[in-house]
């Protein structure tokens, strides 16, 4: 747990040089019909400049007079990215209230959240994180309802997955798991194994957390995995022959009755929603022994930040810290 918190602390020390505020480029208007469009673009350029300079009154008045908060300037940046880059939290709030998209990406695939994070603007970052999480929760709830009605646009568990040395990808080439997450998985394993005993991991993926759990030589180590190809790969790589390992093939939702209680539990699935994780949490009082330790990993803010090396890990930890307000991703059973 100490590790998890200290990684979060490292994050706030990351500093990058913010880009200078853009000068408003003079427009050359060749045709009469372009005048209106040029005037509008000017108000959006002014919005970017005011956002960059932190002039919240000007931002509000430009919004009131119809400036488009979704505008991308010639550098491919939105007003929200400019405000985030310089840490102007009040401007960010005004833009978000006016409907500025929190998940737009710059030409280098950076979101406003990335700009705030890279420049160490914690208040700006928290605002964007909050908005991203709220949106994810709402979208997740809608998607679950759609799926329940049979409108699912594809079930990850029924699709093919691709394995390579450093990642597992789903059929849409989205990363199920990536090797850079290894240090984070090791931190989770260390936490849940800190008292030894019987371990449970939900979701094998690349087996990073399970490999780390094995290093603590637990009394028993149960792994629940639902994807047939991931399961086959587990068997081919010898996981079925390890003495203290029990593999349960199936969705955790369907195999709960086969699970006893554990001293350490880790949860990290893919293709599920926040609501699924919450549902899992409701089973914890039964699954976790008194004094047991639970930890989880979940991409709760997809789209808000790039998934990338250490930064991505830190983001996940921040997200976890946000959900459980004291930067703890760990739950201790009573
Ligand atoms: C992100 S990966 C887990 C990565 C793992 N923590 C590691 O260290 O490599 C998620 C895994 O959960 C599995 N999964 C998805 N939904 C599941 C469910 N309902 N029950 C059990 N496993 C599930 C996926 O097939 C995938 O292997």
């Amino acid at each position: 747990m100490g590790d998890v918190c200290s990684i979060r602390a490292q994050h706030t020390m990351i500093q990058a040089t913010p880009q200078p505020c853009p000068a408003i480029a003079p427009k050359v208007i060749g045709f009469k019909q372009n005048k209106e469009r040029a005037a509008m673009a000017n108000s959006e350029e002014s919005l970017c400049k005011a956002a960059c300079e932190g002039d919240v009154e000007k931002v509000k008045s430009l919004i009131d007079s119809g400036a488009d908060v979704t505008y991308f300037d010639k550098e491919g940046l939105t007003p929200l990215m400019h405000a985030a880059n310089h840490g102007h939290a009040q401007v960010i709030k005004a833009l978000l209230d006016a409907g500025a998209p929190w998940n737009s990406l710059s030409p280098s695939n950076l979101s406003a959240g990335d700009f705030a994070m890279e420049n160490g603007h914690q208040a700006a970052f928290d605002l964007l994180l909050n908005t991203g999480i709220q949106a994810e929760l709402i979208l997740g709830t809608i998607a679950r309802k759609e799926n329940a009605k049979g409108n699912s646009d594809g079930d990850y568990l029924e699709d093919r997955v691709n394995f390579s040395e450093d990642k597992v990808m789903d059929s849409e080439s989205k990363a199920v798991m990536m090797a850079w997450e290894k240090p984070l998985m090791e931190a989770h394993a260390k936490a849940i194994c800190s008292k030894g005993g019987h371990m449970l991991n939900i979701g094998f993926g690349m087996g990073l957390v399970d490999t780390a759990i094995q290093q603590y030589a637990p009394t028993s180590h149960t792994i629940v995995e639902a994807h047939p190809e991931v399961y086959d790969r587990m068997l081919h790589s010898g996981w079925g022959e390890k003495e203290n390992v029990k593999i349960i093939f199936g969705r955790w939702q369907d195999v709960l009755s086969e699970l006893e209680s554990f001293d350490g539990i880790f949860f990290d699935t893919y293709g599920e929603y926040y609501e699924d994780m919450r549902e899992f949490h409701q089973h914890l009082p039964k699954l976790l022994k008194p004094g047991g330790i639970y930890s989880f990993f979940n991409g709760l803010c997809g789209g808000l930040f790039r998934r990338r090396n250490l930064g991505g890990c830190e983001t996940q930890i921040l997200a976890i810290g946000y959900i459980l307000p004291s930067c703890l991703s760990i739950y201790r059973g009573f």
Side-chain angles (χ1 to χ4, degrees):
M1 189 192 81
D3 293 348
V4 173
C5 287
S6 64
I7 299 173
R8 183 176 199 268
Q10 272 174 25
H11 154 69
T12 55
M13 289 161 59
I14 294 176
Q15 296 287 331
T17 319
Q19 297 301 304
C21 294
I24 301 177
K27 298 267 172 209
V28 181
I29 302 164
F31 301 97
K32 207 176 171 187
Q33 63 264 42
N34 281 347
K35 273 190 180 165
E36 204 175 310
R37 207 182 304 151
M40 276 188 70
N42 263 339
S43 76
E44 268 90 51
E45 289 289 333
S46 302
L47 184 61
C48 286
K49 188 164 188 294
C52 187
E53 291 170 351
D55 186 344
V56 68
E57 292 312 321
K58 181 94 190 267
V59 165
K60 284 183 179 167
S61 105
L62 283 162
I63 293 172
D64 287 345
S65 55
D68 180 3
V69 292
T70 68
Y71 177 74
F72 285 86
D73 68 10
K74 59 182 184 312
E75 311 291 334
L77 303 183
T78 62
L80 193 64
M81 292 173 193
H82 281 293
N85 201 15
H86 293 268
H88 300 310
Q90 280 186 303
V91 173
I92 291 173
K93 179 153 186 341
L95 288 165
L96 290 172
D97 287 347
W102 52 271
N103 53 355
S104 296
L105 294 177
S106 75
S108 0
N109 268 342
L110 294 174
S111 67
D114 285 312
F115 282 106
M117 182 168 76
E118 291 200 348
N119 291 296
H121 300 310
Q122 192 70 45
F125 176 84
D126 288 346
L127 263 174
L128 291 158
L129 181 68
N130 200 355
T131 306
I133 288 175
Q134 280 174 15
E136 287 292 309
L137 294 182
I138 293 164
L139 292 174
T141 305
I142 293 168
R144 273 168 64 92
K145 288 210 165 119
E146 292 294 304
N147 287 352
K149 281 191 246 152
N151 292 341
S152 167
D153 55 356
D155 183 350
Y156 152 75
L157 292 174
E158 283 168 17
D159 287 339
R160 302 294 311 262
V161 286
N162 274 311
F163 299 93
S164 62
E165 204 150 289
D166 62 348
K167 51 186 168 306
V168 180
M169 309 287 272
D170 71 8
S171 60
E172 293 171 10
S173 299
K174 289 188 198 146
V176 176
M177 188 63 189
M178 293 168 128
W180 61 256
E181 294 170 81
K182 188 168 175 247
L184 186 56
M185 291 298 128
E186 285 170 347
H188 282 291
K190 183 176 177 193
I192 66 161
C193 293
S194 62
K195 291 183 177 170
H198 301 273
M199 300 298 139
L200 169 67
N201 173 41
I202 309 283
F204 181 79
M206 292 179 72
L208 299 178
V209 82
D210 291 296
T211 302
I213 290 172
Q214 276 294 297
Q215 281 164 9
Y216 294 93
T219 314
S220 76
H221 178 178
T222 303
I223 307 169
V224 178
E225 172 55 50
H227 198 290
E229 287 178 279
V230 177
Y231 174 65
D232 278 354
R233 200 174 159 93
M234 289 174 80
L235 297 183
H236 275 109
S237 49
W239 280 88
E241 284 133 45
K242 292 188 195 293
E243 261 189 15
N244 59 351
V245 171
K246 175 179 175 188
I247 304 174
I248 302 181
F249 173 58
R251 294 167 70 242
W252 64 263
Q253 294 89 336
D254 301 332
V255 301
L256 279 168
S257 62
E258 294 175 49
L259 301 174
E260 292 171 10
S261 59
F262 299 87
D263 299 287
I265 301 179
F266 183 58
F267 180 92
D268 176 16
T269 59
Y270 178 81
E272 296 199 302
Y273 298 104
Y274 176 68
E275 288 302 322
D276 295 295
M277 190 174 71
R278 257 194 13 186
E279 189 187 324
F280 182 77
H281 289 176
Q282 282 165 14
H283 296 281
L284 278 179
K286 228 174 137 192
L287 290 174
L288 200 58
K289 287 189 181 181
I293 299 170
Y294 167 69
S295 185
F296 68 89
F297 185 97
N298 192 293
L300 289 169
C301 7
L304 180 53
F305 312 98
R306 287 177 300 163
R307 271 177 90 84
R308 60 185 163 183
N309 259 340
L310 199 55
C313 297
E314 289 155 358
T315 299
Q316 295 291 342
I317 288 164
L318 281 166
I320 289 165
Y322 178 86
I323 297 290
L324 301 174
S326 53
C327 115
L328 301 180
S329 67
I330 291 161
Y331 165 91
R332 288 179 195 278
F334 299 102

